[in-house]
């Protein structure tokens, strides 16, 4: 098939019986007309593709557009073992009505984990009510939690339900529970033990059936030791703890998060972003992200705003901003959590062959290369290497 001197392909037409010019001439003539129209269509498509897409260039990483295999809960995409194990624990406790304490640094996604617990529970058809304890003035805490009657205090012009009553038969998520005022802690403990409370301005108990999930980014044990948090309430909340790991401990999730946020935000902004440069991704991978997933999302959003072509633009000042932290190890038990190692594809493939596709463990590929398992997994993803190919 040809169009304007461009050779676009072939159409093969075969006969089961000996060829006869008289009997097949009309068929061949029809096939020529079909071939011409297919050639025109293919030429138009190829021309449109070249004009409206970024040509593959060495050093550019194509951005993913499908995340179904990485979605482990609503709003959570990950490929690390840590996050898969975390969601497995969340699904396990979701089937019970036990109180859950979610801990982790700021920006790790504790609220999304709470949502995952609610969505997997028998209460999923009822409300998930959220409240940030750090955002409520101390004088309004009791009213926010338990509600009030009309005239209970100055400004109470009408009866109002509190968060516990709104969450009846559902789940109540209290974020930043470490900021709960000490004077309110016995009242929260009573609700957990008795499943009832009293509204402000009325000496009458209201029964509720609420599943409580709380979260904090502070060390509650140290607050208990400093008498800033009641020990009996802490033990009541700490029935089933779930710790969300910081992003620096699961760097294998960074590339897929960059892809996910770029796709999600570019759709929102009406932009077509298809690639990110390899050096930019490398710099992003080296940074420890103290603000975790939230900081990474904000970084991608700023880069997306500045992008005018089909490549996610990371300005030099942005790279310098995170580059100044890239080589600073984050200490934990006096050990370096992350080590920058330059390894190429051949070395990774050789290590996988020698370890029969095993990544972790003393005999795994990561140990042979002298790097962390999460570091190797992230590099394998960027290189398009699957350990299953070497089992």
């Amino acid at each position: 098939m040809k169009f304007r001197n461009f050779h676009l392909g072939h159409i093969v037409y075969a006969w089961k019986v000996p060829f006869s010019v008289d009997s097949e001439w009309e068929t061949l003539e029809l096939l020529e007309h079909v071939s011409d129209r297919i050639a025109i269509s293919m030429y138009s498509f190829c021309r449109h593709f070249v004009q409206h897409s970024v040509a593959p260039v060495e050093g550019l990483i194509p951005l993913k557009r499908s995340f179904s295999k990485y979605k482990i809960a609503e709003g959570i995409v990950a490929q690390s073992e840590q996050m898969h194990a975390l969601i497995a624990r969340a699904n396990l406790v979701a089937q019970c009505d036990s109180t859950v304490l979610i801990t982790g640094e700021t920006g790790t996604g504790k609220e999304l984990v709470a949502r995952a617990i609610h969505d997997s529970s028998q209460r999923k058809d009822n409300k998930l009510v959220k409240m940030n304890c750090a955002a409520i003035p101390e004088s309004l805490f009791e009213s926010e939690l338990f509600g009030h009657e009309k005239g209970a205090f100055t400004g109470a012009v009408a009866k109002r339900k509190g968060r516990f009553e709104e969450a009846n038969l559902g789940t109540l998520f209290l974020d930043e529970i470490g900021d709960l005022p000490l004077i309110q802690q016995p009242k929260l403990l009573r609700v957990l033990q008795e499943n009832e409370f009293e509204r402000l301005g009325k000496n009458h108990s209201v029964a509720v059936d609420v599943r409580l999930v709380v979260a904090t980014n502070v060390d509650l044990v140290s607050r208990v030791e400093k008498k800033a948090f009641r020990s009996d309430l802490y033990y009541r909340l700490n029935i089933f703890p779930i710790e969300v790991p910081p992003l620096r401990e699961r760097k294998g999730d960074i590339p897929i998060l960059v892809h996910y946020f770029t796709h999600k935000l570019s759709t929102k902004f009406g932009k077509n972003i298809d690639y990110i440069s390899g050096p930019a991704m490398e710099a992003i991978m080296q940074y420890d992200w103290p603000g975790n997933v939230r900081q990474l999302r904000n970084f991608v959003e700023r880069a997306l705003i500045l992008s005018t072509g089909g490549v996610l633009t990371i300005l030099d000042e942005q790279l310098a901003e995170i580059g100044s932290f890239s080589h600073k190890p984050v200490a934990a038990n006096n050990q370096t959590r992350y080590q920058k190692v330059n390894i190429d594809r051949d070395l990774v493939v050789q290590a996988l062959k020698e370890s029969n596709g095993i990544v972790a463990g003393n005999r795994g590929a990561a140990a042979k290369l002298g790097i962390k398992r999460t570091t190797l997994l992230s590099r394998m993803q960027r290189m398009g290497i699957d350990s299953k190919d070497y089992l």
Side-chain angles (χ1 to χ4, degrees), residues 281-292:
M281 182 65 83
E282 184 69 20
I284 291 172
M285 286 292 296
Q286 292 176 24
Y287 187 43
D288 285 324
W289 300 104
N292 295 291

Side-chain angles (χ1 to χ4, degrees), residues 170-277:
T171 304
L172 176 60
F173 173 58
L174 297 181
D175 199 5
E176 306 297 348
I177 191 65
D179 290 316
L180 182 68
L182 194 59
I183 193 173
Q184 302 299 336
Q185 293 178 21
K187 299 174 183 178
L188 177 58
L189 181 62
R190 179 176 181 269
V191 180
L192 295 177
Q193 292 175 337
E194 307 295 335
N195 294 321
E196 61 180 28
F197 63 90
E198 294 181 358
R199 289 197 203 100
L200 275 173
K202 188 173 184 179
N203 295 324
H204 176 71
S205 296
V206 179
V208 288
D209 177 11
V210 173
R211 201 272 181 77
L212 186 66
V213 179
V214 300
T216 182
N217 62 359
V218 300
D219 184 0
L220 289 183
V221 174
S222 64
R223 294 212 168 190
V224 170
E225 293 172 349
K226 295 175 182 177
K227 307 299 181 182
F229 202 88
R230 291 177 61 101
S231 60
D232 49 0
L233 177 59
Y234 169 73
Y235 295 129
R236 184 64 181 78
L237 296 176
N238 195 37
I239 294 176
F240 195 90
I242 294 179
E243 182 178 2
V244 186
L247 199 51
R248 63 179 175 273
E249 292 184 2
R250 50 185 183 98
K251 291 203 169 187
D253 287 335
I254 291 178
I256 192 61
L257 287 169
V258 172
H259 291 212
Y260 176 71
F261 290 140
T262 302
H263 174 71
K264 185 176 180 180
L265 293 170
S266 62
T267 301
K268 177 182 176 182
F269 295 159
K271 293 191 174 186
N272 294 318
I273 305 297
D274 299 305
Y275 295 90
I276 181 174
S277 73

Side-chain angles (χ1 to χ4, degrees), residues 31-218:
L31 195 58
E32 279 188 5
H33 289 298
V34 172
S35 173
D36 290 341
R37 282 155 180 76
I38 293 176
I40 294 172
S41 298
M42 291 184 65
Y43 176 82
S44 299
F45 172 78
C46 293
R47 184 180 179 186
H48 176 84
F49 181 80
V50 170
Q51 290 176 344
H52 293 85
S53 65
V54 178
V57 179
E58 185 177 357
L60 293 183
I61 301 172
L63 293 169
K64 298 182 186 298
R65 295 190 176 277
S66 176
F67 303 92
S68 56
K69 70 176 183 178
Y70 301 105
K71 184 178 179 180
I72 58 177
E74 186 62 36
I76 302 177
V77 293
Q79 59 183 357
S80 64
E81 294 179 9
Q82 298 100 312
M83 290 303 294
H84 279 271
L86 183 150
I87 293 300
R89 281 176 57 83
N91 291 336
L92 185 66
V93 73
Q95 306 309 313
C96 312
D97 263 353
S98 301
T99 301
V100 181
L101 172 61
I102 305 173
T103 60
E105 297 177 6
T106 182
T108 51
K110 297 185 288 295
E111 184 175 328
L112 292 176
V113 176
R115 164 63 69 179
I117 293 172
H118 174 75
D119 289 345
S120 298
S121 72
Q122 297 178 356
R123 299 173 179 264
K124 61 184 179 182
D125 294 328
N126 296 309
K127 274 187 175 184
L128 169 64
V129 177
K130 297 176 284 187
M131 173 176 160
N132 189 321
C133 297
I136 306 297
E138 186 171 346
S139 59
L140 298 178
F141 240 101
E142 189 168 356
S143 173
E144 286 291 328
L145 280 176
F146 310 121
H148 61 256
E149 296 290 329
K150 180 179 179 179
F153 54 85
T154 302
V157 296
K159 176 181 173 180
R160 181 180 182 278
K161 289 183 178 181
R163 303 298 175 95
F164 267 99
E165 206 165 350
E166 289 179 3
N168 190 35
L169 301 180
T171 304
L172 176 60
F173 173 58
L174 297 181
D175 199 5
E176 306 297 348
I177 191 65
D179 290 316
L180 182 68
L182 194 59
I183 193 173
Q184 302 299 336
Q185 293 178 21
K187 299 174 183 178
L188 177 58
L189 181 62
R190 179 176 181 269
V191 180
L192 295 177
Q193 292 175 337
E194 307 295 335
N195 294 321
E196 61 180 28
F197 63 90
E198 294 181 358
R199 289 197 203 100
L200 275 173
K202 188 173 184 179
N203 295 324
H204 176 71
S205 296
V206 179
V208 288
D209 177 11
V210 173
R211 201 272 181 77
L212 186 66
V213 179
V214 300
T216 182
N217 62 359
V218 300

Side-chain angles (χ1 to χ4, degrees), residues 1 9-13 31 34-35 38:
M1 294 183 297
H10 301 273
I11 292 182
V12 178
Y13 185 64
L31 195 58
V34 172
S35 173
I38 293 176

Side-chain angles (χ1 to χ4, degrees), residues 15 19-32:
W15 289 265
F19 176 72
S20 170
V21 175
D22 293 336
S23 61
E24 301 296 342
W25 182 257
E26 291 184 1
T27 302
L28 289 171
E29 191 175 30
L30 175 63
L31 195 58
E32 279 188 5

